[in-house]
Amino acid sequence: MEKGVWKSRWFWANLALLHSNGKHVSWSMVCGVMLFGLGLISLLTGHVASHLEWYSHRLHHRTLYSTLDGRDEEPIDIWKSQYSKYYYGCKERGRQFGPAVRERKSNGYLLIATSGGLNQQRIGITDAVVAARILNATLVVPELDHHSFWKDDSDFANIFYVNWFITYLAKDVTIVKRVPDKIMRSMDKPPYTMRVPRKSEPEYYLDQVLPILLRRRVLQLTKFDYRLANNLDDELQRLRCRVNYHALRFTKPIRELGQRVVMKMRKMASRYVAVHLRFEPDMLAFSGCYFGGGDKERRELSEIRKRWTTLPDLSPDGERKRGKCPLTPHEVGLMLRALGFTNDTYLYVASGEIYGGDETMQPLRDLFPNIYTKEMLAEQLKPFLPFSSRLAAIDYIVCDESNVFVTNNNGNMAKILAGRRRYMGHKRTIRPNAKKLSALLISRHEMDWETFSSKVKACQRGFMGEPDEMRPGRGEFHEYPSTCVCEKPFMDDLNLDGVHQPKLAANNVTTKADNAMDGAESVVLRKRHGRRASK
């Protein structure tokens, strides 16, 4: 502003000088200088106005989310967001989204080979349906990975209810269980196999994949995980939601056993917290972090790390400062107690082999004595033990049904469940703010418990699964399904409690009529396909 004042004074001083020497200066020059001065003032005031506008937007945003809501001052409800009742999942197709291309008229058969464990495969299956839609292809039920680290030879039908998958998506994509024998016999060569680059745009599929599909009639895409772009148009994003949250239904044995575990947790406590510890040896080795186990830990994790030949050398201290290290079970327990969960809270721990075993878990048990796992609660678990993906499916169900879900890393299960819980009405999902917590946990002995608890609560704001944490384009769509999360209509900006509901960055408002249509569609689906489709 001082610079602007100086320029203004310079202008008027020069104008006065011109006036005093008017007989030597033409009026055209005077007018020119005046116009220049006015332009300079306009530029200056416009610059100031733009700053004022920016600050006003900042002030308005802070007023909406802080002052009116009082959210910076009010205590966090650790069990449930007060705004969850305003949001719900919406996945209805638009009127312009045409019906699925029938098998005879499609551009060919698309074979998909997924990669990784259960949730990585789930992402691959979801995107496979969308890829088939882009290509106007007939999708063959995807193949699951039998050769990954997980060593699970389960097929699609062992984990997911195939007939429901085919039936539910019949309006979007034609899906068959196998390529017809007649087509296979007519082929001169075996199906062409290719790998699509990660995060490929729809244009890539149309330009590079479609010509091969048209020429060969049957095409297989391998290692199919994260092979489709994160941001697609709204109709394709909603198709992703229809696949992931509705069409991919677990088989009856998995659903029944999962619900049995949920019921046992509910009998012991009306509400429970599910924690996905993800503290297995492979996870810790991959992270490149150090967890205080001395030379033995460094030697063991270094040996496991050799499985990945392309991993760079990482600084354990640097990774921890960047928030890339998972919390130890003890640190997870400290965070939860600091947030306000008491020691009589029931915890369900979803995890594989914990590095360090009982010795690593004991500090968490000291903080929360009521800890349970599927191995402790599922009497009929023995047939599932050889199959890691089916065991993961049990954990998925129990975590999804929990009142609070706590993630401990940004892995595939954490992303998938966080997205699903947002879609289902923003059920409380806690993600540790590892970047800030790491420093706080290191210095926790230098402060009293009340101070530590207050600091944990402060740094966890924005990491508790509230609706306004979600921003379109932030992270993976599977974790932030913003296109598929709608607000319930309301008459006034203020709810009955006198507080504003937080707005998503992209608001999708649907009506009761839309919900009624969704329900009617479900009824028609059940009637059309009888009892088999409703299992």
Side-chain angles (χ1 to χ4, degrees), residues 168-221:
Y168 190 90
L169 295 170
K171 292 182 180 180
D172 299 305
V173 174
T174 298
I175 304 174
V176 297
K177 293 182 180 179
R178 58 198 297 267
V179 179
D181 292 337
K182 182 180 178 180
I183 298 294
M184 294 297 290
R185 287 195 299 266
S186 67
M187 294 173 59
D188 298 331
K189 301 176 182 179
Y192 186 85
T193 300
M194 67 179 292
R195 187 181 300 180
V196 176
R198 285 202 159 206
K199 307 294 179 68
S200 293
E201 299 287 342
E203 289 75 18
Y204 181 91
Y205 284 86
L206 295 174
D207 295 341
Q208 304 296 325
V209 180
L210 182 58
I212 299 174
L213 178 64
L214 291 171
R215 187 168 65 250
R216 299 297 293 267
R217 195 63 183 147
V218 180
L219 173 65
Q220 182 174 46
L221 303 182

Side-chain angles (χ1 to χ4, degrees), residues 140 178 194 279 367 377 486 494 525:
V140 180
R178 58 198 297 267
M194 67 179 292
F279 206 72
L367 292 168
L377 298 174
C486 293
L494 290 176
L525 188 66

Side-chain angles (χ1 to χ4, degrees), residues 237-253:
Q237 297 290 56
R238 282 192 284 269
L239 175 55
R240 270 176 163 161
C241 296
R242 290 196 289 277
V243 180
N244 196 9
Y245 306 129
H246 298 276
L248 282 176
R249 177 180 289 186
F250 291 123
T251 60
K252 187 176 180 180

Side-chain angles (χ1 to χ4, degrees), residues 24-135:
H24 301 293
V25 182
S26 67
W27 277 107
S28 61
M29 183 178 292
V30 173
C31 291
V33 173
M34 290 179 67
L35 288 173
F36 171 77
L38 289 171
L40 187 64
I41 293 171
S42 176
L43 178 64
L44 174 64
T45 55
H47 183 67
V48 172
S50 66
H51 275 295
L52 288 173
E53 183 181 6
W54 183 81
Y55 280 113
S56 70
H57 279 298
R58 295 266 298 182
L59 182 61
H60 172 72
H61 181 83
R62 288 182 60 82
T63 300
L64 178 62
Y65 291 118
S66 303
T67 307
L68 292 180
D69 276 351
R71 297 180 65 201
D72 283 348
E73 294 80 19
E74 68 179 15
I76 298 173
D77 184 340
I78 55 177
W79 287 102
K80 184 179 181 181
S81 167
Q82 63 174 312
Y83 306 105
S84 60
K85 58 188 175 184
Y86 294 110
Y87 298 94
Y88 64 97
C90 48
K91 56 22 171 147
E92 293 78 11
R93 60 183 63 78
R95 293 180 180 178
Q96 304 302 317
F97 199 65
V101 176
R102 297 298 95 194
E103 184 177 355
R104 291 180 183 178
K105 296 182 178 180
S106 72
N107 289 328
Y109 294 86
L110 187 65
L111 301 170
I112 295 290
T114 61
S115 179
L118 173 68
N119 294 288
Q120 189 173 341
Q121 291 175 347
R122 191 182 189 104
I123 291 170
I125 294 166
T126 298
D127 288 351
V129 174
V130 180
R133 173 76 191 199
I134 292 169
L135 295 167

Side-chain angles (χ1 to χ4, degrees), residues 228 328 426 444 450 503:
L228 191 59
T328 66
H426 292 281
R444 68 181 183 274
E450 291 300 322
K503 308 291 185 183

